[in-house]
Amino acid sequence: MLKTLEYRDGKLYIIDQTKLPTEKEIIAIETVEECFDAIKKLKVRGAPAIGIAAAYGVVLGIKDLEEDDFNSFYNELKKISKYLGSSRPTAVNLFWALDRMEKKALENKYKPVEEIKKILEEEAISIQREDEKICKKIGENGIEVLKDGYTILTHCNAGVLATSKYGTALAPIYLAKERGWNIKVFADETRPLLQGSRLTTFELMEAGIDVTLITDNMAAMVMSKGWIDVVIVGCDRVAANGDVANKIGTYGVALLAKAHNIPFYVAGPTTTIDLKTPTGKDIVIEERGREEIICGFGKQTAPSNVKVYNPAFDVTPNELIDGIITEKGIVRAPYDINLKTIFSGAGGEN
Ligand SMILES: CSC[C@H]1O[C@H](OP(=O)(O)O)[C@H](O)[C@@H]1O
């Protein structure tokens, strides 16, 4: 299985996902600026992977700090955290990971700064290791919505490349394959950055899983033919009422699934659930550059001065979602109650 991120000898190694599928280039990230750039340019991407990378970004940013009193050190750490947090606004895992690193520093405020740096390095490693276990659990919980012989449609990439391992939406598919089930996948190409055609097809084929690439505007026809048994997608932020921000186009896929009576599931760790954000209307949607649409991957496909709107995410209202597959179980409606329940540790199928 691919390894999206690896921290060793004080450097963060990532697959540069902007080069996939034609080049599998591993790059070393040695500074917080390089980490910011990698997240901003989607060299590393996907909510959990962004959070893990940002945690290591804090480690890289503090390693050469010379402040030896806690308050000065902590002020610098907060600046580094704020800087990394300005890279992308929608995936809540980024902010969750940064908050966790800040809290860890505060918990150890009476220790020597050099010891705190070591503790924070260990905290970032823990975040990555925990994500591996969480994604495996999402796979185990998510397999409940699959059957041997099923065909799944997915959008964007919520696989290994978006996490530390296994993925979220793709985790149940990998587990089904391990169990010897006959599983097929239709992957939306997912314009404009083509995470589906560049990344999802790449990683599923590497794993020997039957995947068919379709353009985004084919999903309706494929569903109308009865070829899809279930839709599973990832998530970048789940609001307290169960509205979900995910890659642009997800909302349309959810509407199509409803129209064709196809179950629609979202998969993600509880670190992607944001109880502080009441509804999907309150989620900040990242808008990206015009060049991604009019000049995607090197070919100009529109007049250079055409007006462009390029939101990287959209929001799927909770009423279109049959369940949210987490490491603590599958959360179902009423989401405003049941999302709080899994945070109270009660967890499990609702
Ligand atoms: C497992 S989270 C994956 C999630 O993140 C992707 O966004 P991006 O490629 O812009 O980082 C997409 O929304 C996926 O569903």
Side-chain angles (χ1 to χ4, degrees), residues 33-338:
E33 293 77 13
E34 288 171 353
C35 188
F36 176 94
D37 182 70
I39 294 171
K40 181 79 182 168
K41 292 179 181 165
L42 281 77
K43 293 178 182 176
V44 60
R45 41 133 315 270
I50 289 172
I52 296 163
Y56 285 124
V58 170
V59 173
L60 296 171
I62 62 173
K63 67 174 188 260
D64 297 329
L65 289 181
E66 293 176 358
E67 285 74 7
D68 53 13
D69 71 293
F70 179 77
N71 287 337
S72 313
F73 167 78
Y74 188 63
N75 285 339
E76 291 307 308
L77 189 154
K78 294 276 281 184
K79 285 180 199 164
I80 290 164
S81 181
K82 188 164 187 275
Y83 169 60
L84 287 164
S86 68
S87 56
R88 296 187 73 190
T90 305
V92 70
N93 304 60
L94 171 63
F95 307 96
W96 169 84
L98 293 171
D99 289 348
R100 178 164 158 176
M101 296 295 278
E102 290 174 25
K103 285 191 177 78
K104 196 67 181 179
L106 281 174
E107 282 168 20
N108 292 278
K109 64 191 293 184
Y110 298 111
K111 291 181 180 159
V113 165
E114 285 312 307
E115 194 178 329
I116 297 173
K117 289 180 183 178
K118 192 79 191 107
I119 288 168
L120 289 178
E121 182 181 57
E122 285 155 14
E123 189 70 359
I125 293 167
S126 298
I127 289 172
Q128 179 169 10
R129 287 195 182 134
E130 287 164 23
D131 183 68
E132 273 193 37
K133 293 194 186 97
I134 285 168
C135 289
K136 191 168 187 341
K137 200 73 188 112
I138 289 172
E140 290 162 3
N141 291 332
I143 206 160
E144 284 173 34
V145 307
L146 300 182
K147 287 187 184 133
D148 190 357
Y150 258 25
T151 299
I152 301 106
L153 182 137
T154 193
H155 189 76
C156 196
N157 172 259
V160 172
L161 289 165
T163 63
S164 56
K165 199 173 179 183
Y166 303 112
T168 55
L170 300 189
I173 293 165
Y174 286 123
L175 186 57
K177 166 83 178 169
E178 267 178 38
R179 291 185 180 180
W181 291 12
N182 172 26
I183 289 286
K184 291 185 173 64
V185 177
F186 275 81
D188 283 352
E189 68 174 355
T190 315
R191 275 188 57 79
L193 293 182
L194 307 177
Q195 289 92 327
S197 64
R198 293 187 303 110
L199 308 177
T200 295
T201 57
F202 174 79
E203 69 168 82
L204 289 175
M205 290 174 75
E206 286 246 316
I209 291 170
D210 182 322
V211 57
T212 302
L213 173 63
I214 58 173
T215 60
D216 299 331
N217 54 9
M218 293 176 189
M221 190 249 212
V222 165
M223 288 184 189
S224 71
K225 285 181 173 290
W227 292 351
I228 305 299
D229 297 296
V230 64
V231 175
I232 311 180
V233 298
C235 52
D236 291 84
R237 193 181 293 244
V238 180
N241 72 339
D243 293 346
V244 170
N246 194 52
K247 184 51 49 198
I248 188 72
T250 304
Y251 174 35
V253 170
L255 287 169
L256 291 173
K258 182 64 81 183
H260 293 88
N261 297 313
I262 297 170
F264 179 91
Y265 286 91
V266 171
T270 50
T271 47
T272 306
I273 298 167
D274 175 11
L275 295 181
K276 293 199 226 41
T277 297
T279 74
K281 290 184 178 59
D282 307 297
I283 297 174
V284 174
I285 298 295
E286 177 187 9
E287 288 195 36
R288 295 183 64 85
R290 54 186 291 106
E291 71 289 344
E292 292 180 355
I293 292 183
I294 65 171
C295 205
F297 299 91
K299 174 133 181 56
Q300 184 162 336
T301 53
S304 54
N305 60 345
V306 68
K307 277 200 287 187
V308 170
Y309 176 45
N310 184 17
F313 301 96
D314 59 22
V315 173
T316 299
N318 63 67
E319 57 266 24
L320 296 177
I321 300 170
D322 290 283
I324 301 174
I325 304 164
T326 76
E327 73 280 12
K328 295 184 179 178
I330 300 177
V331 185
R332 298 181 190 273
Y335 291 108
D336 53 347
I337 295 166
N338 291 331

